[in-house]
Amino acid sequence: MSTGYLWIKSFHIIGVVCWFAALFYLPRLFIYHTGTPDQAGQDRFKVMEAKLYRVIMRPSMIISLVFGIWMLILGWSAFASSGWLWLKLAGVAVLLGYHHYCARIVRRLAADQNPHSEKFYRVFNEVPALLLILIVILVVVKPF
Ligand code: HEM
């Protein structure tokens, strides 16, 4: 692997780590937000959710995507026939759907329209962990 490729991969991993920090914490905020009865407390969560989404989650998703797609283009001839990569990309598609659904919840909460229960958010919060396990095993072990 060339040094240039390894630089791209480093920034890809940096983006992914930051993206997951937000993917783990934003749904936690939804849990606490839902359990907060007073308006002042809820308004504080709205600011935290909006900032976490805009300052960390969306930019790091874009960084992961840009550097990931860059590697895909550079190594396409080898990647096209790799089963693990296609399954990884399917996992990434689910993760992007999850990301956008989180953005939608942020907007609904900002308008005081909470679409879900605290119990829902507790289960919802586990989804990124499962995708992380799947994707990391796929890219490191490359089982097929
Ligand atoms: C956003 C869309 C993504 C694309 C297009 C993408 C694409 C890629 C590509 C092409 C590689 C290089 C693989 C190789 O050289 O063998 C790679 C490496 C890697 N990706 Fe992604 N990826 C994406 C998202 C993710 C996500 C969400 C995670 C974590 C859950 C992740 C974790 C990794 C890791 C850890 C590596 C380094 C593997 C290694 O060489 O040891 N990627 N990615």
Side-chain angles (χ1 to χ4, degrees):
M1 255 183 270
S2 73
T3 317
Y5 188 83
L6 294 177
W7 277 94
I8 299 167
K9 192 183 280 196
S10 300
F11 285 106
H12 177 62
I13 294 173
I14 292 165
V16 164
V17 170
C18 297
W19 189 17
F20 269 87
L23 284 166
F24 286 144
Y25 196 50
L26 188 61
R28 276 263 123 213
L29 290 177
F30 297 158
I31 296 170
Y32 302 143
H33 188 149
T34 306
T36 301
D38 62 297
Q39 191 63 43
Q42 290 190 12
D43 289 346
R44 206 168 300 127
F45 279 114
K46 288 180 196 174
V47 174
M48 291 168 73
E49 287 152 1
K51 287 207 168 148
L52 181 63
Y53 181 74
R54 271 192 281 111
V55 180
I56 308 286
M57 192 153 139
R58 188 168 49 196
S60 51
M61 179 267 282
I62 293 169
I63 290 169
S64 313
L65 260 180
V66 167
F67 287 98
I69 291 171
W70 196 348
M71 285 188 291
L72 267 188
I73 294 168
L74 290 177
W76 185 250
S77 49
F79 289 139
S81 56
S82 311
W84 61 269
L85 183 85
W86 291 103
L87 188 55
K88 171 190 171 160
L89 293 181
V92 170
V94 175
L95 200 61
L96 286 170
Y98 184 92
H99 174 110
H100 285 102
Y101 194 60
C102 283
R104 205 174 129 161
I105 294 173
V106 169
R107 284 196 297 274
R108 293 282 298 276
L109 287 171
D112 289 317
Q113 296 168 346
N114 194 341
H116 299 294
S117 65
E118 194 176 326
K119 182 126 190 276
F120 173 90
Y121 291 126
R122 284 188 188 277
V123 178
F124 184 69
N125 191 207
E126 303 303 328
V127 174
L130 300 178
L131 288 166
L132 176 70
I133 293 167
L134 173 77
I135 295 173
V136 169
I137 291 173
L138 283 171
V139 291
V140 175
V141 180
K142 300 182 174 43
F144 46 85

